[in-house]
Amino acid sequence: MASLSTGAIEALANGSGWNEAVLQLVNIRKIDGGSGPSRFRVMMSDGRHTLSSFMLSTQLNYMAEENLLVPNCVCVLKRQVTNMLKDGRRVVIILEIDVIKPADASGKIGDPVPYSDGQSRGPQPAPVPESRPPLQPQNRNEAVVRNLKRDFAKKIPSALPDTPGGSSKIVPIASLNPYQSKWTIRARVTNKSSIRTWSNARGEGKLFSMEIVDESGEIRVTGFNQEVDKFFSLIEVGKVYYISKGSLKIANKQYTSVKNDYEMTLNGESTVIPCEDSCDVPMVQCDFVPIGDLENREKDAIVDVIGVCKSVDELTRLTTKSNREVSKRTLSLMDMSGKLVTVTLWGEEAEKFDGSGQPIVAIKSAKLSDFGGRSLSASFSSTMMINPDIPEAYKLRGWFDKEGHAMEGQSLTEVRGAGGRLSENWKSLADVKSEHLGHGDKADYYSCIATIVFLRKENCLYQACPTQDCNKKVVDQQNGMFRCEKCDKEFPNFKYRLILSANIADYADNQWVTCFQDSAEAILGQNAAYLGQLKDSNESAFDEIFQQANFNTFIFRNRVKLETYNDESRIKATVMDVKPVDHREYSKRLIMNIRSMGAK
Amino acid sequence: MAGILDVPKPRINCSMLSQFINRAVCFIGRVEKVHPTGKMFTVMDGEGKTATVELNEPLEEELSGIVEVIGMVSNKGEIMASTYNLLREDKGVPFDLELYNEALKVIHDFPQHYPFQVAASG
């Protein structure tokens, strides 16, 4: 029987050190690193004492993963480094260790007791000497200290010491309710929004929101004003935090798929403390809906989905109704139901998405739309995960590699016309009127091929704020200065922007439309600044541009909506995008339509 | 030549040649081979079939790419060309011969919707 280096534990724990310590491994536990590599925490014994503050350096992770280090094996600690924590405790990082006797050759040697270095640290898990209120202090050391002294229990039932306050136990998220205010939860942040500001008659404010999850469930959390300053930069997605004393209220389920009757608001008394040891907190809570079932869900439902990204389209840019430019990308998701659905990504998510290698994509809180039948959109409150480390993802990968990749799949999102992209909804201008597009609650979008028959050149230009991204009309102060109300500033200059009123026509009907900057510039073939200059200096050249632009045919993508001004309702049509006619695509579409009409 | 210009010239492909014998037609195809004499060449249509075109005078230029031929269909199913017109490949959108063939089929399948004869008369 190998003899252990009695006294080595004490020496290592108090900083004296010990070379070539022969120790028995009592227990080894994996700690999930979240976004980094896993770590293994080890409890070693020298026959007299045990110490659990040993960490395996990551280069030795293989020893744990290949089961070279198992309870009861006897080892020689060849190289280590001892780190001191803020509270004075030590962690021994194992840099090199040799197993000299395998586990089955020896039982537990001696009857070691946990080492405590004489201060108020007894065998119980409460390390901090002074009595303090439950978890309230923003003392980060507590979290770390707690980790080290914790027993090797698989679950963390109450990681906090029982102090006189008593209310410092960790409770599950599922148990939170508005009637209890003194609680602490330990949860992982799965989604964090950006800071949004508002400004209305009652004042201004800012907020951010996030979704958190633990073993029992999930909940949505919002912080306003001061809480934004306190917590926003502290909180990182994927990390685990102890949160306490938020206020609970009934949830507004409209915006999220988070399953909880309540939602939380952080207030002046709330605390958020990072938790170092997070292995037991699940990464995310998702209730995936099979793609085939999406047909049975109502439009506008918020769902979680997971699938293989079978194909992905190019990034495109569009102009939104508030006249902002936004990036967009669509991808096709397929799962084991054999069905496909198109998912639309926006903004940065669209720009950064890499669909190469047909990754597994999971989206929490995606919005289901009845566009094209059924399709999904990742809104700002959705969370997208690529190749997530969850069992569903592995199942999908296995299925796809074996059989899924060969399947064509049936798409729930209709692709209209040969080569027609999803977003296109071809209508003749008569259809737009007869089908009452735009009369519903929401705006309708359609594509058409039409010819410009009239352009209104009067009042097509306005003077706008020169600040980038601000397009508000400025007020001419008549003293050489121009005032922007939105920016609340005065400028000595302005930039010209276009709002062009046009009448377009096809074989069936005509339509008045409004074109903003980008589409107007595309139609006129000149930029706004030049046109503005020309209007002031060379009227005939200015007119000529409009003459040339007239009677050209384009593919228009328009938005129509019923708008009401003073008891009068009118359909307003705006051009979102204008493109030259692709005759080949157009011909293919016509042939297809003719054939399908002929078949009936 | 003047006669042929006044008459409607249905667009056809190789499969339709036999139905238009002794009639003026318009044929679009890709030039395959030019006869050494320069008075004859073969063209392939959008379906991959080939037809022969005969000219009154020998060619004065190199002919390649897609060409539109107007002429009469002979008893033997050859096109006696009155005039031809090369579609430039270096400019604009490339001509899609297969798509053109699809459109041809539509025109011939639905003659009631494409009354070209009526348009040309009086």
Side-chain angles (χ1 to χ4, degrees):
Chain A
M1 184 129 98
S3 64
L4 304 179
S5 308
T6 320
I9 291 289
E10 182 165 359
L12 289 167
N14 66 24
S16 329
W18 192 289
N19 287 333
E20 307 276 312
V22 181
L23 303 168
Q24 182 175 40
L25 194 149
V26 179
N27 206 338
I28 179 164
R29 184 160 80 132
K30 183 172 179 180
I31 295 173
D32 193 346
S35 56
S38 311
R39 298 304 302 267
F40 288 90
R41 198 166 139 212
V42 188
M43 185 194 266
M44 304 296 278
S45 149
D46 65 356
R48 181 189 292 167
H49 289 122
T50 62
L51 188 64
S52 62
S53 31
F54 286 87
M55 294 288 290
L56 206 61
S57 67
T58 51
Q59 68 249 31
L60 298 182
N61 275 7
Y62 75 93
M63 293 184 81
E65 282 152 5
E66 289 171 27
N67 287 322
L68 297 169
L69 293 171
V70 287
N72 283 345
C73 69
V74 179
C75 321
V76 171
L77 190 56
K78 303 219 73 160
R79 252 190 330 132
Q80 73 273 12
V81 70
T82 312
N83 287 342
M84 183 102 118
L85 298 173
K86 292 184 208 142
D87 64 342
R89 295 182 47 76
R90 286 196 162 78
V91 176
V92 181
I93 311 288
I94 302 173
L95 299 172
E96 193 180 332
I97 187 166
D98 286 348
V99 179
I100 54 173
K101 260 220 144 52
D104 40 22
S106 20
K108 185 163 157 190
I109 298 172
D111 193 9
V113 292
Y115 178 76
S116 59
D117 63 10
Q119 280 192 344
S120 64
R121 291 177 187 101
Q124 82 210 39
V128 183
E130 77 273 20
S131 117
R132 64 208 188 323
L135 219 230
Q136 267 26 310
Q138 314 284 345
N139 190 351
R140 305 242 179 129
N141 296 334
E142 260 183 44
V144 177
V145 162
R146 220 179 341 263
N147 294 338
L148 293 186
K149 261 307 186 182
R150 188 179 320 146
D151 302 310
F152 281 89
K154 292 289 177 229
K155 284 286 178 194
I156 322 292
S158 103
L160 291 182
D162 274 346
T163 62
S167 46
S168 50
K169 278 179 65 151
I170 302 260
V171 299
I173 284 181
S175 72
L176 290 175
N177 62 72
Y179 312 110
Q180 278 176 299
S181 53
K182 295 207 181 101
W183 45 258
T184 303
I185 54 171
R186 189 176 73 133
R188 192 187 301 273
V189 177
T190 57
N191 179 5
K192 179 175 95 162
S193 76
S194 47
I195 300 179
R196 304 181 84 204
T197 60
W198 77 83
S199 175
N200 59 26
R202 285 181 288 164
E204 292 190 327
K206 56 186 173 184
L207 69 92
F208 81 102
S209 65
M210 61 180 182
E211 286 166 18
I212 59 176
V213 65
D214 74 0
E215 301 90 330
S216 73
E218 48 182 3
I219 191 167
R220 188 174 154 81
V221 181
T222 309
F224 292 90
N225 302 319
Q226 284 151 325
E227 277 65 54
V228 174
D229 296 327
K230 261 204 276 186
F231 300 123
F232 185 78
S233 38
L234 164 66
I235 290 174
E236 288 176 48
V237 177
K239 294 231 158 77
V240 179
Y241 299 88
Y242 291 102
I243 301 175
S244 71
K245 286 199 162 183
S247 16
L248 276 294
K249 64 175 199 224
I250 305 276
N252 181 344
K253 300 255 177 115
Q254 205 186 346
Y255 298 112
T256 177
S257 73
V258 169
K259 289 183 183 45
N260 199 314
D261 292 331
Y262 302 111
E263 54 182 341
M264 190 196 304
T265 306
L266 299 169
N267 56 47
E269 301 211 323
S270 311
T271 65
V272 176
I273 302 171
C275 165
E276 300 301 312
D277 188 356
S278 53
C279 65
D280 288 339
V281 183
M283 293 292 269
V284 73
Q285 279 247 7
C286 276
D287 187 11
F288 294 117
V289 176
I291 293 178
D293 282 358
L294 289 175
E295 287 175 302
N296 305 328
R297 297 296 181 105
E298 287 209 351
K299 78 168 209 166
D300 293 338
I302 307 267
V303 292
D304 302 336
V305 283
I306 186 169
V308 181
C309 170
K310 200 151 196 278
S311 66
V312 62
D313 300 316
E314 298 271 307
L315 189 70
T316 57
R317 291 185 77 80
L318 338 152
T319 319
T320 70
K321 9 185 185 178
S322 37
N323 228 5
R324 276 180 307 122
E325 272 224 349
V326 76
S327 305
K328 175 184 142 169
R329 192 195 290 270
T330 48
L331 60 107
S332 192
L333 213 61
M334 174 155 141
D335 70 2
M336 296 192 267
S337 64
K339 296 276 168 74
L340 286 153
V341 71
T342 302
V343 181
T344 307
L345 305 176
W346 302 92
E348 225 184 287
E349 216 167 42
E351 285 161 19
K352 291 206 283 208
F353 183 75
D354 180 10
S356 55
Q358 293 178 310
I360 308 286
V361 175
I363 307 181
K364 187 172 167 59
S365 303
K367 185 149 174 187
L368 185 64
S369 144
D370 63 352
F371 187 83
R374 279 287 180 272
S375 54
L376 289 167
S377 171
S379 66
F380 89 94
S381 54
S382 310
T383 315
M384 180 169 75
M385 293 158 276
I386 316 251
N387 289 324
D389 187 11
I390 52 180
E392 289 91 338
Y394 294 114
K395 267 203 286 206
L396 265 168
R397 182 94 262 154
W399 162 81
F400 190 72
D401 290 343
K402 266 215 323 237
E403 19 173 312
H405 66 274
M407 284 174 80
E408 264 305 314
Q410 201 196 348
S411 181
L412 299 182
T413 320
E414 260 173 21
V415 180
R416 309 269 196 127
R421 293 186 312 274
L422 287 153
S423 45
E424 272 156 13
N425 180 22
W426 295 99
K427 297 283 171 202
S428 76
L429 293 177
D431 291 339
V432 176
K433 294 186 187 170
S434 66
E435 290 175 16
H436 298 296
L437 290 179
H439 281 247
D441 295 329
K442 288 206 230 163
D444 283 317
Y445 293 81
Y446 67 88
S447 294
C448 68
I449 294 194
T451 306
I452 298 179
V453 292
F454 182 81
L455 289 164
R456 184 172 288 141
K457 59 183 196 278
E458 295 76 31
N459 296 326
C460 65
L461 286 159
Y462 73 97
Q463 296 165 334
C465 177
T467 317
Q468 200 179 32
D469 291 337
C470 177
N471 295 328
K472 187 147 176 70
K473 181 171 176 176
V474 290
V475 180
D476 188 341
Q477 308 280 64
Q478 304 295 341
N479 58 0
M481 297 298 277
F482 299 87
R483 180 172 170 72
C484 173
E485 293 296 343
K486 188 164 156 193
C487 299
D488 199 20
K489 269 166 69 169
E490 285 196 355
F491 303 91
N493 60 348
F494 57 82
K495 61 183 191 240
Y496 271 120
R497 283 188 71 85
L498 286 159
I499 298 190
L500 185 61
S501 197
N503 188 291
I504 62 174
D506 66 8
Y507 68 89
D509 208 325
N510 72 345
Q511 171 86 57
W512 282 97
V513 296
T514 306
C515 310
F516 290 102
Q517 185 82 344
D518 292 335
S519 38
E521 286 183 339
I523 287 172
L524 295 171
Q526 293 293 350
N527 66 45
Y530 180 64
L531 283 164
Q533 206 189 345
L534 222 50
K535 182 159 91 91
D536 296 333
S537 61
N538 188 346
E539 183 121 20
S540 56
F542 182 75
D543 290 347
E544 179 65 19
I545 289 179
F546 284 82
Q547 288 293 335
Q548 289 296 324
N550 209 6
F551 300 119
N552 287 321
T553 306
F554 295 98
I555 293 178
F556 290 91
R557 175 123 186 99
N558 294 343
R559 170 189 187 266
V560 277
K561 178 120 182 47
L562 190 65
E563 312 232 331
T564 313
Y565 294 120
N566 308 326
D567 299 337
E568 207 188 279
S569 292
R570 277 228 211 124
I571 286 285
K572 303 281 271 165
T574 315
V575 176
M576 302 267 81
D577 187 50
V578 67
K579 278 198 296 272
V581 179
D582 179 339
H583 292 279
R584 285 183 65 202
E585 292 305 312
Y586 186 30
S587 304
K588 285 186 193 158
R589 197 156 35 82
L590 287 172
I591 290 175
M592 212 183 78
N593 289 345
I594 290 171
R595 289 296 177 196
S596 61
M597 282 196 271
K600 288 187 193 152
Chain B
M1 173 81 150
I4 204 168
L5 291 176
D6 294 338
V7 179
K9 295 158 282 289
R11 292 178 174 276
I12 59 162
N13 60 19
C14 292
S15 350
M16 301 165 192
L17 277 169
S18 50
Q19 294 150 25
F20 286 83
I21 294 189
N22 285 325
R23 288 181 54 190
V25 295
C26 175
F27 188 101
I28 290 187
R30 190 177 287 283
V31 178
E32 276 200 310
K33 280 183 70 173
V34 181
H35 195 268
T37 60
K39 286 189 77 172
M40 204 171 77
F41 60 90
T42 54
V43 279
M44 186 190 289
D45 70 4
E47 283 179 343
K49 305 209 184 80
T50 314
T52 312
V53 178
E54 280 193 25
L55 300 160
N56 293 329
E57 281 122 26
L59 283 168
E60 281 166 32
E61 57 178 352
E62 272 300 318
L63 207 62
S64 75
I66 300 193
V67 66
E68 183 182 49
V69 178
I70 293 178
M72 299 284 287
V73 183
S74 73
N75 297 338
K76 291 188 289 172
E78 292 171 348
I79 304 169
M80 315 306 285
S82 305
T83 177
Y84 70 85
N85 171 26
L86 237 119
L87 302 185
R88 293 182 67 156
E89 299 193 294
D90 53 341
K91 274 192 177 180
V93 180
F95 190 83
D96 187 335
L97 203 53
E98 283 80 21
L99 191 58
Y100 173 78
N101 194 66
E102 289 301 311
L104 267 192
K105 291 200 286 194
V106 169
I107 292 172
H108 287 272
D109 286 347
F110 300 101
Q112 68 274 37
H113 296 296
Y114 299 96
F116 294 119
Q117 284 67 21
V118 175
S121 64

